[in-house]
Amino acid sequence: MERLDKLLAGTGRWSRREVRTLVKEGRVLVDGLPAAGVEQKVDPAASRVQVDREALAVGGFTYVMLHKPRGVLSATEDYRQQTVLDLLSPDLKRKGLFPVGRLDKDSEGLLLLTDDGDLAHRLLSPKRHVSKVYRVWLDRPLGGADQAAFAAGIVLADGTRCRPAGLKPLGDGREALVTLHEGKFHQIKRMCASRGSAVCRLKRISMGALTLDETLEPGAYRLLTGEEVAKIGEKI
Ligand code: URA
């Protein structure tokens, strides 16, 4: 059993002070009844907690959507550099979350953090081909011939063959959407390089059924809704 304020603050959405206000205002329901106080004990795995009638995915595992900013490492800890875990509240940081897959230090966009090892494994398994969509900004435009090469499977400079991938040039081709079904080291940068174009900026937009919430500023995060958790689970 956990205190209600600890549980709600652990979602990263409210500070303990804000939780106190929410409870005082009667906006927090536990199993359908207004919470008695912030010290009320709830069972994270079994109690149904709602704030403003919205059910919270507080039970069991934790799933966080982070808008990763550029310049931060997709790692749990590093002695010298800031990691994505350093962006989370202390309550969330203590939960032992880890990033599901990596984005390069200079890449940005959707990063899922969780303590659900099974879901992470399924999302990343090469056998399941979960698609990831990225927006890329390029120094030289890519076009129809590059699109065909991506669809056929790019062979990287070191001879590695990539799976067929999607390339959708936008505007004059200096921007594009790239869809991958695997995750090799610096894959998009190397695929674009093999077509004579350098990636200037790279942003992940989606991963499977999960799409970056564009209201999240770089560095901001929120818990997944129950609906999002269900959606990513069911598609893989
Ligand atoms: N491809 C890359 O080159 N970098 C990323 O961060 C993700 C995909």
Side-chain angles (χ1 to χ4, degrees), residues 9 36 45 51 57 66 75 105 107 116 124 134 143 145 163 166 168 194 219 222:
V51 176
L66 169 72
K105 185 178 170 190
S107 297
D116 182 347
L124 297 175
Y134 302 80
R163 283 182 197 281
K168 185 173 177 224
S194 82
R222 67 161 172 78

Side-chain angles (χ1 to χ4, degrees), residues 48 55 66 90 104 124-126 131 149 160 176 190 222 228:
R48 205 160 42 85
L66 169 72
D104 294 340
L124 297 175
S125 162
S131 59
T160 306
R190 292 194 290 156
R222 67 161 172 78
E228 284 170 327

Side-chain angles (χ1 to χ4, degrees), residues 55-75:
L56 292 180
V58 290
F61 296 115
T62 301
Y63 306 91
V64 173
M65 177 191 292
L66 169 72
H67 185 162
K68 179 194 172 298
R70 308 179 82 175
V72 178
L73 286 187
S74 296

Side-chain angles (χ1 to χ4, degrees), residues 88-105:
L88 304 183
S89 68
D91 277 314
L92 270 180
K93 218 177 156 177
R94 276 194 288 273
K95 282 186 180 276
L97 307 181
F98 53 86
V100 180
R102 282 163 190 269
L103 284 172
D104 294 340
K105 185 178 170 190

